[in-house]
Amino acid sequence: GENVEQHPSTLSVQEGDSAVIKCTYSDSASNYFPWYKQELGKRPQLIIDIRSNVGEKKDQRIAVTLNKTAKHFSLHITETQPEDSAVYFCAADAGGTSYGKLTFGQGTILTVHP
Amino acid sequence: GAGVSQSPSNKVTEKGKDVELRCDPISGHTALYWYRQRLGQGLEFLIYFQGNSAPDKSGLPSDRFSAERTGESVSTLTIQRTQQEDSAVYLCASSLTPSSNQPQHFGDGTRLSIL
């Protein structure tokens, strides 16, 4: 089955700096890669996703890049703000299935210091 | 409804008791997923529903876990004879259709604590 590894497990940055979180996956048939943000005690919220037919997608301060050959994808947050502090999860769908089953990484605790 | 709703939000029970967790998906969403999140961990897939059928139950940890869905709406996850290792947050998600083209929207989860 799919295996998703996420690094780093914790990330501390100063406000205004950039943050990068990286994930690798094992199933070459995976083609959907969402990123979720989870604030303490709250539900995971989809912040951006990318499909295998594109290499990069951007939404304001957030961008995701995908390298299908190397089987890794990354989340980039620019001009970080304290409200970006949360746990971020990457995920990959189960390649070869059609119903969107997701395998998640272990999460990255991002802390943005004012 | 406006979003995925789960109840109860918190459940504390004694080891050996049965528990039932409820999920109300977004109205019209045909796909429903259950995940488990242990403290400080990522989300583990448990089971997926398409309509009222569960084509993939591969993530259920043991035969003490079962789930059903009725009316292509509400789903319940039942854990029998609970054990301490069942303590976790149980999250439900729904999507418009069972496809990677449709994003999954999560509920707030049920925090289950087994004493």
Side-chain angles (χ1 to χ4, degrees), chain B residues 25-80:
Chain B
I26 294 172
S27 178
H29 280 198
T30 62
L32 187 148
Y33 309 81
W34 283 98
Y35 294 89
R36 179 172 69 177
Q37 185 175 29
R38 289 198 165 113
L39 187 63
Q41 301 290 313
L43 284 70
E44 304 169 70
F45 170 82
L46 297 179
I47 187 170
Y48 144 75
F49 285 92
Q50 179 176 346
N52 294 333
S53 301
D56 188 347
K57 308 178 183 178
S58 63
L60 294 179
S62 73
D63 58 9
R64 295 187 295 104
F65 287 73
S66 63
E68 65 174 13
R69 188 180 185 195
T70 57
E72 300 195 351
S73 180
V74 172
S75 176
T76 55
L77 176 68
T78 301
I79 309 173
Q80 296 178 308

Side-chain angles (χ1 to χ4, degrees), chain A residues 31-32 36 38 41-46 49 51 89 93-94 97-107, chain B residues 3-4 33 35 37 40-43 45 48 56 58 91 98-108 111:
Chain A
N31 58 29
Y32 174 64
Y36 284 85
Q38 187 177 33
K42 296 192 175 180
R43 68 183 69 187
Q45 295 205 322
L46 179 69
D49 57 17
R51 290 178 174 80
F89 293 97
D93 74 332
T97 70
S98 61
Y99 54 82
K101 172 183 175 180
L102 295 175
T103 299
F104 284 80
Q106 293 299 297
Chain B
V4 178
Y33 309 81
Y35 294 89
Q37 185 175 29
Q41 301 290 313
L43 284 70
F45 170 82
Y48 144 75
D56 188 347
S58 63
L91 288 157
S99 165
S100 294
N101 289 319
Q102 295 294 333
Q104 294 182 27
H105 301 274
F106 283 85
D108 285 330
R111 183 174 300 276

